[in-house]
Amino acid sequence: MTTLMKATELSYSEIPGFFQVTFDIADSPRKHTIYMRSRAEEYNSLKAAEAFGIVWESTDAAPKELLEKAFTYRFKAGGLAYERPSEAQNLHRIRYRLHIDPRRDAKQVRELLAIVASTSDFMEKELNGEEDKQ
């Protein structure tokens, strides 16, 4: 995965288990940070590395109204996931995520990561207002 990320020519940092990339959002002063797992999951002949952006997070559980609003959105690629606190992190989160086949070429991966960033930013605005939290 590291070879693939280098080939994308994106500026990224490595944190345990993830590549972290911050994207500028087109026609906007906003930025959004996305994460891609540094190891692909494998099942039979399928391979995928999860890429995601955080669109909402809180120390409190998401209110019912927020969940209803968030999960009525439909996407042509990817989708939302609700993440509860764990040993690794202590927040309730809603993430927009997309699984990327690591056998894709670097240009395609770069484009897919840009989709994750722009969709995550859109959903962040929808769920939190215009304030840029990422």
Side-chain angles (χ1 to χ4, degrees), residues 25-78:
I25 303 303
D27 301 323
S28 165
R30 296 173 61 89
K31 296 181 181 295
H32 204 92
T33 300
I34 60 125
Y35 304 86
M36 186 163 107
R37 295 196 185 273
S38 55
R39 293 182 57 116
E41 297 288 326
E42 217 171 311
Y43 179 77
N44 291 331
S45 64
L46 301 174
K47 284 187 176 183
E50 180 189 37
F52 65 89
I54 299 167
V55 301
W56 179 90
E57 62 183 5
S58 174
T59 54
D60 300 320
K64 179 182 175 188
E65 299 79 21
L66 180 80
L67 293 172
E68 287 174 348
K69 180 179 181 179
F71 287 94
T72 58
Y73 282 88
R74 297 292 173 252
F75 305 94
K76 291 187 182 210

Side-chain angles (χ1 to χ4, degrees), residues 70-100:
F71 287 94
T72 58
Y73 282 88
R74 297 292 173 252
F75 305 94
K76 291 187 182 210
L80 297 177
Y82 186 78
E83 179 182 354
R84 298 180 193 280
S86 67
E87 289 180 22
Q89 65 85 23
N90 62 351
L91 299 171
H92 291 265
R93 292 177 169 166
I94 299 175
R95 299 180 290 130
Y96 170 76
R97 66 185 190 162
L98 177 67
H99 289 90
I100 297 174

